Amino acid sequence: MTSRLNLFLILGLVALASIAFSLLQGSDLISSYQLLKTVLHQGDDLSAEIVLFIRLPHALTAFVTGGLLALAGAMMQVLVRNPLADPYVLGISGGAAVMTLLCMLLGISGYWLTGGAWAGSLLAMLLVFLCTKKIAGQPQQLLLTGVALASGFSALSSLILSISPDHTLRGMLFWLVGDLSEAHLPVLEGCVLLIGLMMSLSFARELNLLVRGEKAAKALGVNTHRLQWKLYLLSSFLTATAVTLAGCIGFVGLIVPHMFRLLFGYDHRFLLPGCVLMGGSLLTIADMLSRRLFFPQQLPVGIVMVLIGIPIFIFLLQKKTA
Amino acid sequence: MKNLLAAKNITLAIADKILCRDLNLEIRAGDVWGILGPNGCGKTTLLHALARLHSVKQGDIFLHDKKISAFSGKELSRRLGILFQDTQESFSQTVQEYCLTGRHPHLSHFAWENTDDKKIAAQALKQMELENKLTQQIHTLSGGERRRLSLATVLTQTPSVYLLDEPTNHLDIYHQIKVLNYFKTLAETQAIGVMMSLHDVNMAQRYCNKVLMLFDNGETLQGTPLDVFTTENFSRLYQHSFRKGIVENISCWLP
């Protein structure tokens, strides 16, 4: 038990450190001394403004997005009982992408773009349900339906890309690989993450049973029908929030739950909060690197995420099997 | 003695195939029931129906004289534990974590397993000779060890009725006898009831005091092994001729 507490202490510190690093290292170097002064309200106005109004929203947006995706991914993997599942596997992001690209094509921006992403996600959720008729009971069918719908959305996205004028293409591509450049202070999304985590923790022990299949969970008294509906709605909602916030950042939702399992085990009561902290930290670091590596050129954060994630993950996998 | 689990006039079917018709069944404290029958005759479906995992076409099932439909999921699984024929795992777990999940129905929503729960799990693992493998990942276990872990998990659930679907699957002779003996002793000393499907008729004769034969055509036959174990019944049940031998005054059955 104490070792688990230590684990969360460490993960919490890593999370804080990643945010602090992100505040320190921006496109414009601000020393830690100045950062400290800013925090204490004694810094000069310009650096204070950079830290508070540009870097802090950026860092927090990255953290919240990473947390949302990792949490949604961990739940989605249990819902379809498949370790290859990620938050996008049921086509939630695909639906959001089609609607967002359509909005961009039509020259719509700002809040309408956010609304478009939301509408697309909800549409995808509805479509998955209509096509499978039931969410609980047949994880295999749910997964295959989701994959089929996701391919459909992907084809539609490509179609929109191919007919879009050149000047909108860059924005579209950035959105598709994940983009944090339009970050605002993610108060609402942060609340969604916190509430989502609380809700998921309320059924975390039941997830330990559901991974063994529906019958096994039922035999130990779990209302599997209700549990799977909760899983579906909550993970879809979290994914939609993340996608609306930052576009389709891949990899976090797939890899972070596996990283946690490799390092710290399979109990969902630890896995879910652990994924939030790990996913958040990882995306914050990726975001910092994406702005810092080829300064002043900025890379899409989704690409950096994948590039730093793959070696870490393969290292862990190798270490575990060896 | 009081009924732990009773089935009244139940008819079971999968799609259009009737598996058993108007079956009456009573599991009392101390009973060890054996279900015998050919593949696909409905042994598993019957066990699932008794555990409320499969709906009955007709009839009612009572647990402690109360309809099983009246229990909540957790209430039911505190009183009734089922061991499945096989298990599926998409993700790993340690042996101890796996076994502790048997305590789930006893824990309130946000509660964690306490030292008592861990003691119960440790005791069950010891009975199944897995006490040295607590921190091992389950996918590193052998088939027989996995089976014993599932048995330890259902023991950790501490129900008053055990429904075991081929509990001796994957087990060597030593462990088969140990497991069957343990459940028999448990039934006799703890006033619990056991019902298990078996394929080994000699084991059934040795460890069960009641037997249910499920025939392919939906007919059933029940009684003590002494009553129903005859070469005619076995030949009819398995569509294969049987011979009877006597070794040290114990009858044994040779297919």
Side-chain angles (χ1 to χ4, degrees):
Chain A
M1 196 60 215
T2 43
S3 65
R4 306 283 193 171
L5 281 178
N6 287 341
L7 157 71
F8 279 98
L9 207 62
I10 292 168
L11 284 180
L13 283 176
V14 169
L16 281 179
S18 70
I19 292 175
F21 271 126
S22 183
L23 295 182
L24 283 173
Q25 309 262 324
S27 313
D28 181 16
L29 266 180
I30 294 173
S31 72
S32 46
Y33 174 63
Q34 270 171 314
L35 178 75
L36 197 67
K37 278 208 295 189
T38 308
V39 172
L40 299 172
H41 298 289
Q42 288 173 352
D44 58 280
D45 288 345
L46 184 63
S47 57
E49 264 176 33
I50 290 177
V51 167
L52 284 181
F53 296 110
I54 298 176
R55 291 187 189 171
L56 189 64
H58 227 105
L60 289 181
T61 303
F63 191 86
V64 169
T65 309
L68 284 167
L69 288 174
L71 183 59
M75 286 195 278
M76 206 64 98
Q77 286 171 357
V78 180
L79 178 64
V80 296
R81 260 86 85 197
N82 191 316
L84 285 176
D86 73 355
Y88 305 150
V89 77
L90 296 184
I92 312 283
S93 64
V98 169
M99 288 300 278
T100 308
L101 296 193
L102 212 56
C103 288
M104 286 176 168
L105 180 65
L106 298 174
I108 298 168
S109 62
Y111 284 115
W112 287 102
L113 207 60
T114 318
W118 259 109
S121 308
L122 294 180
L123 192 74
M125 279 169 73
L126 196 67
L127 260 181
V128 169
F129 174 65
L130 289 178
C131 290
T132 52
K133 296 286 192 302
K134 52 181 181 183
I135 296 301
Q138 284 160 327
Q140 215 62 280
Q141 199 195 338
L142 179 65
L143 180 61
L144 290 176
T145 309
V147 169
L149 286 174
S151 332
F153 287 131
S154 155
L156 282 178
S157 298
S158 305
L159 178 70
I160 296 173
L161 281 178
S162 66
I163 58 169
S164 296
D166 286 353
H167 65 272
T168 58
L169 270 180
R170 196 179 149 78
M172 288 178 172
L173 275 178
F174 258 70
W175 193 91
L176 280 178
V177 293
D179 183 15
L180 289 166
S181 59
E182 306 228 344
H184 59 277
L185 207 57
V187 182
L188 194 64
E189 292 84 352
C191 291
V192 169
L193 176 61
L194 266 181
I195 294 169
L197 179 62
M198 304 273 199
M199 287 171 74
S200 71
L201 281 175
S202 77
F203 53 72
R205 205 175 70 223
E206 297 182 338
L207 297 186
N208 292 343
L209 300 172
L210 188 61
V211 291
R212 277 189 234 157
E214 203 166 348
K215 275 228 160 92
K218 234 184 225 168
L220 282 164
V222 177
N223 184 339
T224 50
H225 186 80
R226 202 166 60 197
L227 176 62
Q228 288 176 98
W229 265 103
K230 282 188 205 164
L231 266 181
Y232 173 65
L233 290 176
L234 189 56
S235 57
S236 302
F237 191 72
L238 294 179
T239 308
T241 310
V243 171
T244 311
L245 192 59
C248 299
I249 295 177
F251 207 64
V252 191
L254 171 69
I255 292 307
V256 169
H258 287 302
M259 276 182 168
F260 188 93
R261 288 191 191 104
L262 286 171
L263 287 168
F264 310 114
Y266 295 80
D267 191 338
H268 285 85
R269 290 171 289 186
F270 300 114
L271 178 73
L272 298 174
C275 278
V276 170
L277 290 173
M278 256 171 113
S281 311
L282 206 59
L283 197 60
T284 310
I285 293 167
D287 170 59
M288 185 216 14
L289 290 176
S290 75
R291 283 178 294 135
R292 196 63 213 157
L293 273 180
F294 296 101
F295 177 79
Q297 197 68 39
Q298 300 202 352
L299 301 171
V301 61
I303 290 173
V304 178
M305 177 65 227
V306 174
L307 292 182
I308 62 167
I310 289 174
I312 298 177
F313 184 65
I314 290 189
F315 170 73
L316 285 176
L317 212 54
Q318 290 290 329
K319 218 179 100 187
K320 195 73 180 180
T321 43
Chain B
M1 223 184 288
K2 210 178 129 200
N3 279 341
L4 291 174
L5 186 68
K8 301 240 161 89
N9 291 316
I10 58 165
T11 299
L12 289 177
I14 285 186
D16 286 336
K17 197 197 172 207
I18 302 279
L19 297 172
C20 66
R21 208 175 268 117
D22 294 329
L23 175 68
N24 283 293
L25 204 64
E26 285 174 358
I27 303 180
R28 294 157 190 259
D31 274 353
V32 180
W33 275 86
I35 310 177
L36 298 175
N39 292 151
C41 72
K43 299 184 291 295
T44 299
T45 310
L46 173 61
L47 289 173
H48 285 189
L50 292 175
R52 211 175 67 184
L53 297 171
H54 189 276
S55 55
V56 292
K57 208 172 155 81
Q58 256 170 37
D60 287 308
I61 296 166
F62 298 87
L63 179 66
H64 299 295
D65 297 325
K66 189 173 148 188
K67 272 194 188 179
I68 52 166
S69 53
F71 288 90
S72 80
K74 275 186 169 180
E75 278 170 0
L76 187 68
S77 45
R78 276 199 291 271
R79 295 165 174 83
L80 188 148
I82 181 165
L83 174 83
F84 293 100
Q85 207 171 91
D86 44 30
T87 52
Q88 60 169 82
E89 282 93 27
S90 336
F91 300 98
S92 195
Q93 257 170 332
T94 66
V95 167
Q96 191 184 25
E97 279 171 352
Y98 192 99
C99 190
L100 270 174
T101 56
R103 296 309 292 166
H104 178 81
H106 298 272
L107 298 174
S108 65
H109 213 69
F110 284 97
W112 289 68
E113 296 89 356
N114 59 25
T115 43
D116 286 340
D117 297 316
K118 282 179 187 152
K119 242 182 244 165
I120 294 169
Q123 181 64 28
L125 286 168
K126 190 156 185 267
Q127 283 303 334
M128 293 298 127
E129 298 181 15
L130 289 166
E131 70 271 28
N132 297 325
K133 299 188 184 281
L134 293 185
T135 55
Q136 210 167 313
Q137 295 292 326
I138 50 172
H139 64 257
T140 63
L141 298 177
S142 76
E145 287 167 339
R146 289 281 300 102
R147 195 65 185 154
R148 271 143 57 206
L149 176 57
S150 298
L151 282 160
T153 307
V154 75
L155 284 172
T156 305
Q157 206 178 328
T158 60
S160 46
V161 179
Y162 287 90
L163 304 171
L164 310 174
D165 199 352
E166 299 184 22
T168 52
N169 268 3
H170 306 292
L171 296 185
D172 58 36
I173 294 286
Y174 165 81
H175 283 108
Q176 286 185 22
I177 289 177
K178 178 155 179 160
V179 163
L180 293 176
N181 214 359
Y182 182 70
F183 277 101
K184 191 180 179 208
T185 320
L186 204 62
E188 283 161 0
T189 56
Q190 309 284 320
I192 56 134
V194 179
M195 180 166 231
M196 55 189 167
S197 60
L198 287 171
H199 282 300
D200 188 330
V201 297
N202 291 304
M203 287 292 191
Q205 172 171 282
R206 197 161 155 183
Y207 293 103
C208 301
N209 61 351
K210 305 269 182 59
V211 180
L212 171 70
M213 287 183 173
L214 293 179
F215 296 95
D216 233 351
N217 58 2
E219 285 175 31
T220 61
L221 183 65
Q222 49 181 297
T224 63
L226 209 60
D227 294 335
V228 296
F229 279 13
T230 62
T231 48
E232 294 79 37
N233 281 342
F234 281 136
S235 307
R236 189 181 150 214
L237 188 66
Y238 293 113
Q239 304 290 313
H240 193 283
S241 61
F242 267 71
R243 283 174 298 156
K244 181 180 177 176
I246 308 273
V247 179
E248 291 173 3
N249 277 333
I250 300 168
S251 36
C252 52
W253 308 92
L254 302 167

